[in-house]
Amino acid sequence: MIHFVPPHLEKVRAKVPDLARSVDIVLGNLEDAIPADAKEAARQGFIEMVQATDFGQTGVWTRVNALNSPWVLDDITQLVGAIGNKLDVIMLPKVDGPWDIPYLDQLLAQPEARHGVGRPILIHAILETAEGVKNVDDIAAASPRMHGMSLGPADLAASRAMKTTRVGGGHPEYKVVADAAGDGPRAAYQQDLWHYTLARMVDACAANGLKAFYGPFGDFSDPLACETQFRNAFLMGCAGAWTLHPSQIDIAKAVFSPDPAEVAFAAKILAAMPDGTGAVMIDGKMQDDATWKQAEVIVDLARIIAAKDPALAKS
């Protein structure tokens, strides 16, 4: 989970040392949801928060303001100068095309060199404009700094003139209905508004060795819908999702960890085909080199999570 923190709020910053032990990434948000008159306070608050906190193995990210905003240049220069050696990733909003990425790359390179930052700060692009979706493959390949991408459904909905005010998730009117059969009621099934875009983003990331993430789910009162959206993203290949509220942390933790029964079955496939070739029958199902590769994905993920989380390792 990438947990968003509004760093202009002192009471929220005070919780970060404890929070950092329960999430994978702490992200200081400087863009949307930060009032215009609080932008500088958010930037300074994030700097102070990072300087004062031992994050251990937890990643430290920030979402800077858009490249056409009046705040982004100060975001880059001040953050890299003050906390460049602790900052892992910069999340860039409103990415329209591959031209945005090299521009940020160079903006980062100059203060990194000036302040002796020991490793490159990576770039994570948010896919939240129609033009960005059109150019997603080129964005993914735009720089060696690219870490991955996240889906930004709210801004993308506005960019496409979609008729929804929801932040992620489905919509009850986006559905298919069963064929008419007499005068009885017709079954209806709600569809996923984001399936097409998420699939395009996952493919672009996978083809370039990047990590794909689902973005925000805005309805904190509906944990089941949040869990369902997160699980769709997990099954389609996403590495994680954003968490905007503490209640979403445990949801993301559960969803983006493979089911122990699935891990056990995947391990049986790998054990039955040590070199990944041939074909075997396991529990009445045929397994071959393709399913061996699928099993390897599941087992590798389980190993990574078990190394980070002793409680999940026991399961």
Side-chain angles (χ1 to χ4, degrees), residues 1-78:
M1 67 292 292
I2 305 171
H3 191 71
F4 274 57
V5 172
H8 64 300
L9 301 177
E10 186 175 355
K11 65 179 182 180
V12 176
R13 294 200 307 270
K15 299 176 182 178
V16 166
D18 289 333
L19 177 73
R21 293 195 290 268
S22 63
V23 300
D24 299 307
I25 295 157
V26 172
L27 181 144
N29 183 26
L30 307 184
E31 196 223 8
D32 288 354
I34 306 300
D37 61 0
K39 295 290 188 180
E40 293 184 9
R43 185 191 306 128
Q44 186 58 36
F46 180 61
I47 289 171
E48 293 173 3
M49 182 184 84
V50 173
Q51 289 174 333
T53 305
D54 179 3
F55 289 91
Q57 296 301 307
T58 298
V60 180
W61 293 24
T62 185
R63 179 170 70 170
V64 296
N65 288 283
L67 291 177
N68 61 355
S69 77
W71 304 287
V72 67
L73 188 58
D74 287 340
D75 289 346
I76 302 300
T77 56
Q78 292 182 27

Side-chain angles (χ1 to χ4, degrees), residues 259-272:
D259 180 82
E262 188 81 7
V263 175
F265 184 71
K268 287 174 68 173
I269 295 173
L270 298 184

